[in-house]
Each structure stands twice: as C-alpha cells, then as structure tokens.
Amino acid sequence: TYMTPDPITLPPDHSPSEAAQIMSERKFRHIPVVDNGELIGVVSIRDLVTADMHIHHTDAHVGSDFP
C-alpha cells in the first residue's frame, strides 16, 4: 500500500522550522496538517524551500526513494 495507516501529522500552529526538522529527521517529503481531526492541508518540502527554510538539498529526498 502507499498510504500510511497512522501518519505523523502537524497542527496548524506548528512552525515551519519544526516541520522542516521533522521532515529532515524522518525523511518525509510531505506532512498532513490536521485540526480537530480534520485534514486542512499538506506541508511539502517545496513549501518550506519556498518559505526560505534552510533545508539542505540532500535532506529534501527528492526522487523516487521516498513516498
């Protein structure tokens, strides 16, 4: 399967730097944003790079190695 049964999610008040840290440590390219059990968005590596977060390109895991 391609879907994670119990994914790590972020609340909407999480900072971009915290999201970047989680993505780098866990080798994620996307993290769902959930508020009161409802999906309200998805943060991607591209979002963080666009927001000028300092994610080294080798930590971004671009390619087919990660879902």
Side-chain angles (χ1 to χ4, degrees):
T1 73
Y2 291 101
M3 296 188 66
T4 303
D6 190 20
I8 290 176
T9 61
L10 297 176
D13 61 349
H14 234 56
S15 73
S17 62
E18 291 172 302
Q21 180 178 355
I22 292 168
M23 290 172 138
S24 181
E25 290 173 358
R26 304 294 299 254
K27 299 181 180 175
F28 293 165
R29 291 190 298 171
H30 303 89
I31 299 180
V33 179
V34 175
D35 190 20
N36 294 319
E38 184 176 334
L39 178 67
I40 61 170
V42 177
V43 176
S44 71
I45 288 286
R46 182 176 300 215
D47 295 333
L48 298 177
V49 169
T50 301
D52 201 27
M53 296 304 303
H54 299 287
I55 299 174
H56 192 272
H57 74 280
T58 58
D59 287 337
H61 306 290
V62 175
S64 61
D65 292 341
F66 298 93

CSV table of all heavy atoms in Angstrom, one decimal:
chain,number,residue,atom,x,y,z
A,1,THR,N,0.8,-1.2,0.0
A,1,THR,CA,0.0,0.0,0.0
A,1,THR,C,0.9,1.2,0.0
A,1,THR,O,2.0,1.2,0.4
A,1,THR,CB,-0.9,0.0,1.2
A,1,THR,OG1,-0.2,0.3,2.4
A,1,THR,CG2,-1.7,-1.3,1.4
A,2,TYR,N,0.3,2.3,-0.4
A,2,TYR,CA,1.0,3.6,-0.5
A,2,TYR,C,0.6,4.6,0.6
A,2,TYR,O,1.2,5.6,0.8
A,2,TYR,CB,0.8,4.3,-1.8
A,2,TYR,CG,1.5,3.5,-2.9
A,2,TYR,CD1,0.8,2.7,-3.8
A,2,TYR,CD2,2.8,3.6,-3.1
A,2,TYR,CE1,1.4,2.0,-4.8
A,2,TYR,CE2,3.5,2.9,-4.1
A,2,TYR,CZ,2.7,2.1,-5.0
A,2,TYR,OH,3.4,1.5,-5.9
A,3,MET,N,-0.4,4.2,1.4
A,3,MET,CA,-0.9,5.1,2.4
A,3,MET,C,-0.4,4.6,3.8
A,3,MET,O,-0.5,3.4,4.1
A,3,MET,CB,-2.4,5.2,2.4
A,3,MET,CG,-2.9,5.9,1.1
A,3,MET,SD,-4.6,6.2,1.1
A,3,MET,CE,-4.7,7.5,2.4
A,4,THR,N,0.0,5.5,4.7
A,4,THR,CA,0.4,5.2,6.0
A,4,THR,C,-0.8,5.1,6.9
A,4,THR,O,-1.6,6.0,6.9
A,4,THR,CB,1.4,6.2,6.5
A,4,THR,OG1,2.5,6.3,5.6
A,4,THR,CG2,1.9,5.9,7.9
A,5,PRO,N,-1.0,4.0,7.6
A,5,PRO,CA,-2.2,3.8,8.4
A,5,PRO,C,-2.4,4.8,9.5
A,5,PRO,O,-3.4,5.2,9.9
A,5,PRO,CB,-2.1,2.4,8.9
A,5,PRO,CG,-0.8,1.9,8.6
A,5,PRO,CD,-0.1,2.8,7.6
A,6,ASP,N,-1.3,5.2,10.1
A,6,ASP,CA,-1.3,6.2,11.3
A,6,ASP,C,-0.2,7.2,11.1
A,6,ASP,O,0.8,7.2,11.8
A,6,ASP,CB,-1.1,5.4,12.6
A,6,ASP,CG,-1.4,6.3,13.8
A,6,ASP,OD1,-2.1,7.3,13.7
A,6,ASP,OD2,-1.0,5.9,14.9
A,7,PRO,N,-0.4,8.1,10.1
A,7,PRO,CA,0.7,9.1,9.8
A,7,PRO,C,0.9,10.1,10.9
A,7,PRO,O,0.1,10.4,11.7
A,7,PRO,CB,0.1,9.8,8.5
A,7,PRO,CG,-1.3,9.7,8.7
A,7,PRO,CD,-1.6,8.4,9.4
A,8,ILE,N,2.2,10.6,10.9
A,8,ILE,CA,2.5,11.7,11.7
A,8,ILE,C,1.8,12.9,11.1
A,8,ILE,O,1.9,13.1,9.9
A,8,ILE,CB,4.0,11.9,11.8
A,8,ILE,CG1,4.7,10.8,12.6
A,8,ILE,CG2,4.4,13.3,12.4
A,8,ILE,CD1,6.2,10.8,12.6
A,9,THR,N,1.2,13.8,11.9
A,9,THR,CA,0.5,15.0,11.4
A,9,THR,C,1.0,16.2,12.2
A,9,THR,O,1.6,16.0,13.3
A,9,THR,CB,-1.0,14.8,11.5
A,9,THR,OG1,-1.4,14.7,12.9
A,9,THR,CG2,-1.5,13.7,10.7
A,10,LEU,N,0.7,17.3,11.7
A,10,LEU,CA,1.0,18.6,12.4
A,10,LEU,C,-0.2,19.4,12.7
A,10,LEU,O,-1.1,19.4,11.8
A,10,LEU,CB,2.0,19.4,11.6
A,10,LEU,CG,3.4,18.8,11.3
A,10,LEU,CD1,4.1,19.8,10.4
A,10,LEU,CD2,4.1,18.6,12.6
A,11,PRO,N,-0.3,20.1,13.8
A,11,PRO,CA,-1.4,21.0,14.0
A,11,PRO,C,-1.1,22.3,13.2
A,11,PRO,O,0.1,22.6,12.8
A,11,PRO,CB,-1.3,21.3,15.5
A,11,PRO,CG,0.1,21.1,15.9
A,11,PRO,CD,0.6,20.0,15.0
A,12,PRO,N,-2.1,23.1,12.9
A,12,PRO,CA,-1.9,24.3,12.1
A,12,PRO,C,-1.0,25.3,12.7
A,12,PRO,O,-0.4,26.2,12.0
A,12,PRO,CB,-3.3,24.8,11.9
A,12,PRO,CG,-4.1,24.2,12.9
A,12,PRO,CD,-3.5,22.9,13.3
A,13,ASP,N,-0.8,25.3,14.0
A,13,ASP,CA,0.1,26.3,14.7
A,13,ASP,C,1.5,25.9,14.8
A,13,ASP,O,2.3,26.6,15.4
A,13,ASP,CB,-0.5,26.7,16.1
A,13,ASP,CG,-0.6,25.5,17.0
A,13,ASP,OD1,-0.4,24.3,16.5
A,13,ASP,OD2,-0.8,25.7,18.2
A,14,HIS,N,1.9,24.8,14.2
A,14,HIS,CA,3.3,24.3,14.2
A,14,HIS,C,4.1,25.3,13.3
A,14,HIS,O,3.7,25.7,12.3
A,14,HIS,CB,3.4,22.9,13.6
A,14,HIS,CG,4.1,21.9,14.5
A,14,HIS,ND1,3.7,21.7,15.8
A,14,HIS,CD2,5.1,21.1,14.2
A,14,HIS,CE1,4.5,20.7,16.3
A,14,HIS,NE2,5.4,20.4,15.4
A,15,SER,N,5.3,25.6,13.7
A,15,SER,CA,6.2,26.5,13.0
A,15,SER,C,6.8,25.7,11.8
A,15,SER,O,7.0,24.5,11.8
A,15,SER,CB,7.3,27.0,13.9
A,15,SER,OG,8.3,26.0,14.1
A,16,PRO,N,7.1,26.5,10.7
A,16,PRO,CA,7.8,25.9,9.6
A,16,PRO,C,9.1,25.2,9.9
A,16,PRO,O,9.4,24.2,9.4
A,16,PRO,CB,8.0,27.1,8.6
A,16,PRO,CG,6.9,28.0,9.0
A,16,PRO,CD,6.7,27.9,10.5
A,17,SER,N,9.8,25.8,10.9
A,17,SER,CA,11.1,25.2,11.3
A,17,SER,C,10.9,23.9,12.0
A,17,SER,O,11.7,22.9,11.8
A,17,SER,CB,11.9,26.2,12.2
A,17,SER,OG,11.2,26.4,13.4
A,18,GLU,N,9.8,23.7,12.7
A,18,GLU,CA,9.5,22.4,13.4
A,18,GLU,C,9.2,21.4,12.3
A,18,GLU,O,9.6,20.2,12.4
A,18,GLU,CB,8.4,22.6,14.4
A,18,GLU,CG,8.8,23.3,15.6
A,18,GLU,CD,7.6,23.6,16.5
A,18,GLU,OE1,6.7,24.3,16.0
A,18,GLU,OE2,7.7,23.2,17.7
A,19,ALA,N,8.4,21.8,11.3
A,19,ALA,CA,8.0,20.9,10.2
A,19,ALA,C,9.3,20.5,9.5
A,19,ALA,O,9.4,19.3,9.1
A,19,ALA,CB,7.0,21.6,9.3
A,20,ALA,N,10.2,21.4,9.2
A,20,ALA,CA,11.4,21.1,8.5
A,20,ALA,C,12.3,20.1,9.3
A,20,ALA,O,12.8,19.2,8.7
A,20,ALA,CB,12.2,22.4,8.2
A,21,GLN,N,12.3,20.3,10.6
A,21,GLN,CA,13.1,19.4,11.4
A,21,GLN,C,12.5,18.0,11.3
A,21,GLN,O,13.3,17.0,11.2
A,21,GLN,CB,13.2,19.9,12.8
A,21,GLN,CG,14.0,19.0,13.7
A,21,GLN,CD,14.0,19.5,15.1
A,21,GLN,OE1,13.6,20.6,15.5
A,21,GLN,NE2,14.7,18.7,16.0
A,22,ILE,N,11.2,17.8,11.5
A,22,ILE,CA,10.6,16.5,11.4
A,22,ILE,C,10.8,15.9,10.0
A,22,ILE,O,11.1,14.7,10.0
A,22,ILE,CB,9.1,16.7,11.7
A,22,ILE,CG1,8.9,17.0,13.2
A,22,ILE,CG2,8.3,15.4,11.4
A,22,ILE,CD1,7.4,17.5,13.5
A,23,MET,N,10.6,16.7,9.0
A,23,MET,CA,10.8,16.1,7.6
A,23,MET,C,12.2,15.6,7.4
A,23,MET,O,12.4,14.6,6.8
A,23,MET,CB,10.4,17.2,6.6
A,23,MET,CG,9.0,17.5,6.6
A,23,MET,SD,8.7,18.9,5.5
A,23,MET,CE,7.2,18.3,4.6
A,24,SER,N,13.2,16.4,7.9
A,24,SER,CA,14.6,16.0,7.7
A,24,SER,C,14.9,14.8,8.5
A,24,SER,O,15.5,13.8,8.0
A,24,SER,CB,15.5,17.2,8.2
A,24,SER,OG,16.8,16.8,8.0
A,25,GLU,N,14.5,14.7,9.8
A,25,GLU,CA,14.8,13.6,10.7
A,25,GLU,C,14.1,12.3,10.2
A,25,GLU,O,14.7,11.2,10.2
A,25,GLU,CB,14.4,13.9,12.1
A,25,GLU,CG,15.2,14.9,12.8
A,25,GLU,CD,14.7,15.4,14.1
A,25,GLU,OE1,13.6,14.9,14.5
A,25,GLU,OE2,15.3,16.2,14.8
A,26,ARG,N,12.9,12.4,9.7
A,26,ARG,CA,12.1,11.3,9.4
A,26,ARG,C,12.1,10.9,7.9
A,26,ARG,O,11.5,10.0,7.5
A,26,ARG,CB,10.6,11.5,9.8
A,26,ARG,CG,10.4,11.8,11.3
A,26,ARG,CD,10.8,10.6,12.2
A,26,ARG,NE,10.0,9.5,12.0
A,26,ARG,CZ,9.0,9.1,12.8
A,26,ARG,NH1,8.7,9.7,13.9
A,26,ARG,NH2,8.3,8.0,12.5
A,27,LYS,N,12.8,11.8,7.1
A,27,LYS,CA,12.9,11.6,5.7
A,27,LYS,C,11.6,11.6,5.0
A,27,LYS,O,11.3,10.8,4.1
A,27,LYS,CB,13.7,10.3,5.4
A,27,LYS,CG,15.1,10.3,5.9
A,27,LYS,CD,15.8,9.0,5.6
A,27,LYS,CE,17.2,9.1,6.2
A,27,LYS,NZ,18.0,7.9,6.0
A,28,PHE,N,10.7,12.6,5.4
A,28,PHE,CA,9.4,12.8,4.8
A,28,PHE,C,9.6,13.9,3.8
A,28,PHE,O,10.3,14.9,3.9
A,28,PHE,CB,8.4,13.3,5.9
A,28,PHE,CG,8.0,12.3,6.9
A,28,PHE,CD1,7.4,12.7,8.0
A,28,PHE,CD2,8.3,11.0,6.8
A,28,PHE,CE1,7.0,11.8,9.0
A,28,PHE,CE2,7.9,10.0,7.7
A,28,PHE,CZ,7.2,10.5,8.9
A,29,ARG,N,8.7,13.9,2.8
A,29,ARG,CA,8.6,15.0,1.8
A,29,ARG,C,7.3,15.7,2.0
A,29,ARG,O,7.2,16.8,1.5
A,29,ARG,CB,8.7,14.5,0.4
A,29,ARG,CG,10.1,14.0,0.0
A,29,ARG,CD,10.3,13.7,-1.4
A,29,ARG,NE,9.3,12.7,-1.9
A,29,ARG,CZ,9.1,12.3,-3.1
A,29,ARG,NH1,9.7,13.0,-4.1
A,29,ARG,NH2,8.3,11.4,-3.4
A,30,HIS,N,6.4,15.1,2.7
A,30,HIS,CA,5.1,15.8,3.0
A,30,HIS,C,4.6,15.4,4.4
A,30,HIS,O,4.8,14.3,4.8
A,30,HIS,CB,4.0,15.2,2.0
A,30,HIS,CG,4.4,15.5,0.5
A,30,HIS,ND1,5.1,14.6,-0.2
A,30,HIS,CD2,4.1,16.5,-0.3
A,30,HIS,CE1,5.3,15.0,-1.4
A,30,HIS,NE2,4.7,16.2,-1.5
A,31,ILE,N,3.9,16.3,5.0
A,31,ILE,CA,3.2,16.1,6.3
A,31,ILE,C,1.8,16.7,6.3
A,31,ILE,O,1.7,17.8,6.0
A,31,ILE,CB,4.0,16.7,7.5
A,31,ILE,CG1,5.4,16.1,7.6
A,31,ILE,CG2,3.3,16.4,8.8
A,31,ILE,CD1,6.3,16.7,8.7
A,32,PRO,N,0.8,15.8,6.6
A,32,PRO,CA,-0.5,16.4,6.7
A,32,PRO,C,-0.7,17.3,7.8
A,32,PRO,O,-0.1,17.1,8.9
A,32,PRO,CB,-1.4,15.1,6.9
A,32,PRO,CG,-0.5,13.9,6.7
A,32,PRO,CD,0.9,14.4,6.9
A,33,VAL,N,-1.5,18.4,7.6
A,33,VAL,CA,-1.8,19.3,8.7
A,33,VAL,C,-3.3,19.1,9.1
A,33,VAL,O,-4.2,19.1,8.2
A,33,VAL,CB,-1.7,20.8,8.2
A,33,VAL,CG1,-2.0,21.8,9.3
A,33,VAL,CG2,-0.2,21.0,7.7
A,34,VAL,N,-3.5,18.8,10.4
A,34,VAL,CA,-4.8,18.3,10.9
A,34,VAL,C,-5.2,19.2,12.0
A,34,VAL,O,-4.4,19.6,12.9
A,34,VAL,CB,-4.7,16.9,11.3
A,34,VAL,CG1,-6.0,16.4,12.0
A,34,VAL,CG2,-4.4,16.0,10.2
A,35,ASP,N,-6.5,19.7,12.0
A,35,ASP,CA,-7.1,20.5,13.0
A,35,ASP,C,-8.4,19.8,13.5
A,35,ASP,O,-9.3,19.6,12.7
A,35,ASP,CB,-7.3,21.9,12.5
A,35,ASP,CG,-7.7,22.9,13.6
A,35,ASP,OD1,-7.4,22.6,14.8
A,35,ASP,OD2,-8.3,23.9,13.3
A,36,ASN,N,-8.4,19.5,14.8
A,36,ASN,CA,-9.6,18.8,15.3
A,36,ASN,C,-10.0,17.6,14.5
A,36,ASN,O,-11.2,17.3,14.3
A,36,ASN,CB,-10.8,19.8,15.4
A,36,ASN,CG,-10.5,20.9,16.4
A,36,ASN,OD1,-10.0,20.6,17.5
A,36,ASN,ND2,-10.9,22.1,16.1
A,37,GLY,N,-9.0,16.8,14.1
A,37,GLY,CA,-9.3,15.5,13.4
A,37,GLY,C,-9.6,15.7,12.0
A,37,GLY,O,-9.9,14.7,11.3
A,38,GLU,N,-9.5,16.9,11.4
A,38,GLU,CA,-9.9,17.2,10.0
A,38,GLU,C,-8.6,17.6,9.3
A,38,GLU,O,-7.9,18.5,9.7
A,38,GLU,CB,-11.0,18.2,9.9
A,38,GLU,CG,-11.4,18.5,8.5
A,38,GLU,CD,-12.6,19.5,8.5
A,38,GLU,OE1,-13.3,19.6,9.5
A,38,GLU,OE2,-12.7,20.1,7.5
A,39,LEU,N,-8.4,17.0,8.1
A,39,LEU,CA,-7.3,17.4,7.3
A,39,LEU,C,-7.6,18.8,6.7
A,39,LEU,O,-8.6,19.0,6.1
A,39,LEU,CB,-7.1,16.4,6.1
A,39,LEU,CG,-6.0,16.7,5.1
A,39,LEU,CD1,-4.6,16.6,5.8
A,39,LEU,CD2,-6.1,15.8,3.9
A,40,ILE,N,-6.6,19.7,7.0
A,40,ILE,CA,-6.8,21.1,6.4
A,40,ILE,C,-5.7,21.5,5.4
A,40,ILE,O,-5.8,22.5,4.8
A,40,ILE,CB,-6.9,22.1,7.6
A,40,ILE,CG1,-5.7,22.1,8.4
A,40,ILE,CG2,-8.2,21.9,8.4
A,40,ILE,CD1,-5.6,23.3,9.4
A,41,GLY,N,-4.7,20.6,5.3
A,41,GLY,CA,-3.7,20.9,4.3
A,41,GLY,C,-2.6,19.9,4.4
A,41,GLY,O,-2.6,19.0,5.2
A,42,VAL,N,-1.6,20.1,3.5
A,42,VAL,CA,-0.4,19.3,3.5
A,42,VAL,C,0.8,20.2,3.3
A,42,VAL,O,0.8,21.0,2.4
A,42,VAL,CB,-0.4,18.2,2.3
A,42,VAL,CG1,0.9,17.4,2.3
A,42,VAL,CG2,-1.6,17.3,2.5
A,43,VAL,N,1.8,20.0,4.1
A,43,VAL,CA,3.1,20.8,4.0
A,43,VAL,C,4.1,19.9,3.2
A,43,VAL,O,4.2,18.8,3.6
A,43,VAL,CB,3.7,21.2,5.4
A,43,VAL,CG1,5.0,21.9,5.2
A,43,VAL,CG2,2.7,22.0,6.2
A,44,SER,N,4.7,20.5,2.3
A,44,SER,CA,5.7,19.8,1.5
A,44,SER,C,7.1,20.4,1.6
A,44,SER,O,7.2,21.6,2.1
A,44,SER,CB,5.3,19.8,0.0
A,44,SER,OG,5.5,21.1,-0.5
A,45,ILE,N,8.1,19.7,1.3
A,45,ILE,CA,9.5,20.2,1.2
A,45,ILE,C,9.5,21.5,0.4
A,45,ILE,O,10.1,22.5,0.7
A,45,ILE,CB,10.4,19.2,0.7
A,45,ILE,CG1,10.7,18.0,1.7
A,45,ILE,CG2,11.8,19.8,0.3
A,45,ILE,CD1,11.5,18.4,2.9
A,46,ARG,N,8.8,21.4,-0.8
A,46,ARG,CA,8.8,22.6,-1.7
A,46,ARG,C,8.2,23.8,-1.0
A,46,ARG,O,8.7,24.9,-1.1
A,46,ARG,CB,8.0,22.3,-2.9
A,46,ARG,CG,8.0,23.4,-3.9
A,46,ARG,CD,7.3,23.0,-5.1
A,46,ARG,NE,7.9,21.9,-5.7
A,46,ARG,CZ,8.1,21.7,-7.0
A,46,ARG,NH1,7.5,22.5,-7.9
A,46,ARG,NH2,8.7,20.6,-7.5
A,47,ASP,N,7.1,23.6,-0.2
A,47,ASP,CA,6.6,24.7,0.6
A,47,ASP,C,7.6,25.4,1.5
A,47,ASP,O,7.7,26.6,1.6
A,47,ASP,CB,5.4,24.3,1.5
A,47,ASP,CG,4.2,23.8,0.7
A,47,ASP,OD1,4.0,24.2,-0.5
A,47,ASP,OD2,3.5,22.9,1.2
A,48,LEU,N,8.4,24.5,2.2
A,48,LEU,CA,9.4,25.0,3.1
A,48,LEU,C,10.5,25.7,2.4
A,48,LEU,O,11.0,26.7,2.8
A,48,LEU,CB,9.9,23.9,4.0
A,48,LEU,CG,8.8,23.3,4.9
A,48,LEU,CD1,9.4,22.1,5.7
A,48,LEU,CD2,8.2,24.3,5.8
A,49,VAL,N,10.9,25.2,1.3
A,49,VAL,CA,12.0,25.8,0.5
A,49,VAL,C,11.5,27.1,0.0
A,49,VAL,O,12.3,28.1,0.0
A,49,VAL,CB,12.5,24.8,-0.7
A,49,VAL,CG1,13.4,25.6,-1.6
A,49,VAL,CG2,13.2,23.6,-0.1
A,50,THR,N,10.3,27.2,-0.5
A,50,THR,CA,9.7,28.4,-1.0
A,50,THR,C,9.6,29.5,0.1
A,50,THR,O,9.8,30.7,-0.1
A,50,THR,CB,8.3,28.2,-1.6
A,50,THR,OG1,8.4,27.3,-2.7
A,50,THR,CG2,7.7,29.5,-2.1
A,51,ALA,N,9.4,29.0,1.3
A,51,ALA,CA,9.3,29.9,2.5
A,51,ALA,C,10.7,30.2,3.0
A,51,ALA,O,10.8,30.8,4.1
A,51,ALA,CB,8.5,29.2,3.6
A,52,ASP,N,11.7,29.8,2.3
A,52,ASP,CA,13.1,30.1,2.6
A,52,ASP,C,13.6,29.4,3.8
A,52,ASP,O,14.5,29.9,4.6
A,52,ASP,CB,13.4,31.6,2.7
A,52,ASP,CG,14.8,32.0,2.5
A,52,ASP,OD1,15.6,31.2,1.8
A,52,ASP,OD2,15.3,33.0,3.1
A,53,MET,N,13.1,28.2,4.1
A,53,MET,CA,13.6,27.4,5.2
A,53,MET,C,14.9,26.8,4.7
A,53,MET,O,15.1,26.5,3.5
A,53,MET,CB,12.6,26.3,5.6
A,53,MET,CG,11.3,26.8,6.1
A,53,MET,SD,11.5,27.9,7.6
A,53,MET,CE,12.4,26.8,8.7
A,54,HIS,N,15.8,26.6,5.6
A,54,HIS,CA,17.2,26.1,5.2
A,54,HIS,C,17.2,24.6,5.3
A,54,HIS,O,17.6,24.1,6.3
A,54,HIS,CB,18.2,26.8,6.1
A,54,HIS,CG,18.3,28.3,5.9
A,54,HIS,ND1,18.7,28.9,4.8
A,54,HIS,CD2,17.8,29.3,6.7
A,54,HIS,CE1,18.6,30.2,4.9
A,54,HIS,NE2,18.0,30.4,6.0
A,55,ILE,N,16.8,24.0,4.2
A,55,ILE,CA,16.8,22.5,4.2
A,55,ILE,C,17.9,22.2,3.1
A,55,ILE,O,17.7,22.6,1.9
A,55,ILE,CB,15.5,21.9,3.8
A,55,ILE,CG1,14.4,22.3,4.8
A,55,ILE,CG2,15.6,20.4,3.6
A,55,ILE,CD1,13.0,21.8,4.5
A,56,HIS,N,18.9,21.5,3.5
A,56,HIS,CA,20.0,21.1,2.5
A,56,HIS,C,19.4,20.2,1.5
A,56,HIS,O,18.5,19.3,1.8
A,56,HIS,CB,21.1,20.4,3.3
A,56,HIS,CG,22.3,20.3,2.5
A,56,HIS,ND1,22.5,19.2,1.7
A,56,HIS,CD2,23.4,21.1,2.3
A,56,HIS,CE1,23.7,19.3,1.0
A,56,HIS,NE2,24.2,20.4,1.4
A,57,HIS,N,19.7,20.4,0.2
A,57,HIS,CA,19.1,19.6,-0.8
A,57,HIS,C,19.2,18.1,-0.6
A,57,HIS,O,18.4,17.4,-1.1
A,57,HIS,CB,19.6,20.1,-2.2
A,57,HIS,CG,21.0,19.6,-2.5
A,57,HIS,ND1,22.1,20.2,-2.0
A,57,HIS,CD2,21.4,18.5,-3.2
A,57,HIS,CE1,23.2,19.6,-2.4
A,57,HIS,NE2,22.8,18.5,-3.1
A,58,THR,N,20.3,17.6,0.0
A,58,THR,CA,20.4,16.2,0.3
A,58,THR,C,19.4,15.7,1.3
A,58,THR,O,19.1,14.6,1.4
A,58,THR,CB,21.8,15.8,0.7
A,58,THR,OG1,22.2,16.5,1.9
A,58,THR,CG2,22.8,16.1,-0.4
A,59,ASP,N,18.9,16.6,2.2
A,59,ASP,CA,17.9,16.3,3.1
A,59,ASP,C,16.5,16.3,2.6
A,59,ASP,O,15.5,15.9,3.2
A,59,ASP,CB,17.9,17.2,4.4
A,59,ASP,CG,19.1,16.9,5.2
A,59,ASP,OD1,19.7,15.8,5.2
A,59,ASP,OD2,19.6,17.8,6.0
A,60,ALA,N,16.3,16.9,1.4
A,60,ALA,CA,15.0,17.1,0.8
A,60,ALA,C,14.5,15.7,0.2
A,60,ALA,O,13.3,15.6,0.0
A,60,ALA,CB,15.0,18.1,-0.2
A,61,HIS,N,15.4,14.8,0.0
A,61,HIS,CA,15.0,13.5,-0.5
A,61,HIS,C,14.2,13.5,-1.8
A,61,HIS,O,13.1,12.9,-1.9
A,61,HIS,CB,14.3,12.7,0.6
A,61,HIS,CG,15.0,12.6,1.8
A,61,HIS,ND1,16.2,11.9,1.9
A,61,HIS,CD2,14.9,13.2,3.0
A,61,HIS,CE1,16.7,12.0,3.1
A,61,HIS,NE2,15.9,12.8,3.8
A,62,VAL,N,14.6,14.3,-2.7
A,62,VAL,CA,13.9,14.5,-4.0
A,62,VAL,C,14.2,13.2,-4.8
A,62,VAL,O,15.3,12.8,-4.9
A,62,VAL,CB,14.4,15.7,-4.7
A,62,VAL,CG1,13.7,15.8,-6.1
A,62,VAL,CG2,14.0,17.0,-3.9
A,63,GLY,N,13.2,12.6,-5.4
A,63,GLY,CA,13.4,11.5,-6.2
A,63,GLY,C,12.4,10.4,-5.8
A,63,GLY,O,11.4,10.6,-5.1
A,64,SER,N,12.7,9.2,-6.2
A,64,SER,CA,11.7,8.1,-6.0
A,64,SER,C,12.1,7.2,-4.8
A,64,SER,O,11.4,6.2,-4.6
A,64,SER,CB,11.7,7.2,-7.3
A,64,SER,OG,13.0,6.7,-7.5
A,65,ASP,N,13.1,7.6,-4.0
A,65,ASP,CA,13.4,6.8,-2.9
A,65,ASP,C,12.4,6.8,-1.7
A,65,ASP,O,12.4,6.0,-0.9
A,65,ASP,CB,14.8,7.2,-2.3
A,65,ASP,CG,15.9,6.8,-3.3
A,65,ASP,OD1,15.7,6.0,-4.2
A,65,ASP,OD2,17.0,7.4,-3.2
A,66,PHE,N,11.7,7.9,-1.6
A,66,PHE,CA,10.7,8.1,-0.5
A,66,PHE,C,9.4,8.4,-1.1
A,66,PHE,O,9.3,9.1,-2.1
A,66,PHE,CB,11.2,9.3,0.3
A,66,PHE,CG,12.5,9.0,1.0
A,66,PHE,CD1,13.7,9.4,0.4
A,66,PHE,CD2,12.6,8.3,2.2
A,66,PHE,CE1,14.9,9.1,0.9
A,66,PHE,CE2,13.8,8.0,2.7
A,66,PHE,CZ,15.0,8.4,2.1
A,67,PRO,N,8.3,8.0,-0.4
A,67,PRO,CA,7.0,8.3,-0.9
A,67,PRO,C,6.6,9.7,-0.8
A,67,PRO,O,7.2,10.5,-0.1
A,67,PRO,CB,6.1,7.4,0.1
A,67,PRO,CG,6.9,7.0,1.2
A,67,PRO,CD,8.4,7.2,0.8
